[in-house]
Amino acid sequence: MDLISVKSRTKASLKYLGEGTEFAIIYLKNIILTLLSLGLYYPWAKVEILKYHYQSTELDQARFSFHATGKEVFKGFIKIYVIFIFLYGFLFYALRTQNQVLTVAAVSIFYLLLILIVPFAIHGAVRYRSSRSSWKGIHFKYLGDRTEFFWLYMKGALLTICTLGIYGAWFHVDMRKYIFSHLRFGNLSFNFKGNGGDLFVINLKFVILFYLTLGIYSFWYYRNLVRFYVDNTSLVQNGKEVKFKTNMQAGDVFELLFINGLLLVFTLGIAMPWVTVRTLNFFFRFLEIDGELNTNAIQQASYDNYDDAIGDDMLDFFDIDLL
């Protein structure tokens, strides 16, 4: 019996191997350089941090890689600043004229464009991050259609507004399903089978029980939320579904958040790098690949050399987390 056939029947494992002190050196160096450069170094700092986390993540004893460059991210920021200089310039001009009609039009155009930009930013960010992520030379790829995703987003946003936020859970799930169904890892495909109704119930229980338990229910809410996302995510290899699962408990979440809180309070925030590493270690410690994933059979299908980071930068600007 050869080694490859034995490994193909062994559960693949995902691990995070980052070290707090190691990451703290990178984190603090980037803060200093960003401050000294009046923010200009931020794109390079962002890339260096992402590269560290990728390279600290391991699938079957092989590390992931992030191939973005600070120059690519910097170009994206320049494009964003040009766009918003024009937007704010027009808004400022309208306010200076004290023309009520022009002011209302300028404000309406400003917020309308902000709403319209978000789906393009999400689409571009997913495509950029995917094209710049790899494992053993095998790249991720996003095959979503920009126009298709735009109309999916606009429909969900409109229904969420019309239902006073109630449709938000279904909206979020629909976007996640679309992105994952168009995401590839070499010759593997992703899938997300979550239901908006289940996410709505999780959020509703949190709203009700948070106050009744004076916030204690937060630990169960976080556990339920992570389980919802992880347990409904899967990979498809040769037509066979390989699921992910997590077995974290509310007590584990309490320990994580309690110690993280103490570290941040008693160090006045200096412990943030250690908190970040502790949190990632915590998540991967409970993450399992539930099924037989043959990592030796993963092959590069096609490669998307997409180097436009404006979507990723735009999500930074709006403070929106990617997935």
Side-chain angles (χ1 to χ4, degrees), residues 52 91 114 144 148 159 172 195 204 206 298 305:
Y52 178 80
L91 185 60
L114 289 185
E148 196 173 56
L159 288 173
H172 183 80
N195 182 276
L204 181 62
F206 172 70
I298 303 175
N305 187 25

Side-chain angles (χ1 to χ4, degrees), residues 137-204:
I138 301 167
H139 285 256
F140 288 77
K141 185 177 181 179
Y142 175 61
L143 303 174
D145 180 78
R146 183 168 52 189
T147 303
E148 196 173 56
F149 183 75
F150 171 79
W151 289 114
L152 174 71
Y153 180 92
M154 295 309 297
K155 183 195 79 172
L158 182 61
L159 288 173
T160 301
I161 293 171
C162 292
T163 59
L164 302 180
I166 293 175
Y167 188 76
W170 285 268
F171 176 31
H172 183 80
V173 166
D174 284 345
M175 285 197 301
R176 199 175 190 89
K177 281 183 176 179
Y178 183 88
I179 290 171
F180 273 77
S181 67
H182 291 85
L183 190 61
R184 303 291 182 267
F185 174 34
N187 57 345
L188 305 185
S189 59
F190 285 83
N191 200 3
F192 183 74
K193 293 185 175 179
N195 182 276
D198 294 334
L199 181 59
F200 175 77
V201 170
I202 290 172
N203 291 333
L204 181 62

Side-chain angles (χ1 to χ4, degrees), residues 54 65-68 122-135 138-144 179-180 182-186 190 300 302-306 312 322-323:
Y54 271 71
S65 298
F66 189 59
H67 307 279
I122 295 173
H123 172 88
V126 176
R127 187 178 175 189
Y128 177 71
R129 286 279 184 99
S130 300
S131 74
R132 290 295 179 257
S133 306
S134 72
W135 175 81
I138 301 167
H139 285 256
F140 288 77
K141 185 177 181 179
Y142 175 61
L143 303 174
I179 290 171
F180 273 77
H182 291 85
L183 190 61
R184 303 291 182 267
F185 174 34
F190 285 83
Q300 185 66 57
S302 59
Y303 174 52
D304 179 22
N305 187 25
Y306 185 73
D312 200 59
L322 184 59
L323 299 180

Side-chain angles (χ1 to χ4, degrees), residues 9-21:
R9 291 199 299 271
T10 304
K11 277 189 176 182
S13 61
L14 273 168
K15 297 178 182 177
Y16 180 77
L17 305 172
E19 299 283 344
T21 302

Side-chain angles (χ1 to χ4, degrees), residues 4 16 18 44 49 73 83 170 181 192-193 212 230 248 293:
I4 292 179
Y16 180 77
W44 285 268
I49 287 174
V73 178
I83 291 171
W170 285 268
S181 67
F192 183 74
K193 293 185 175 179
L212 293 178
V230 173
M248 72 172 63
L293 175 63

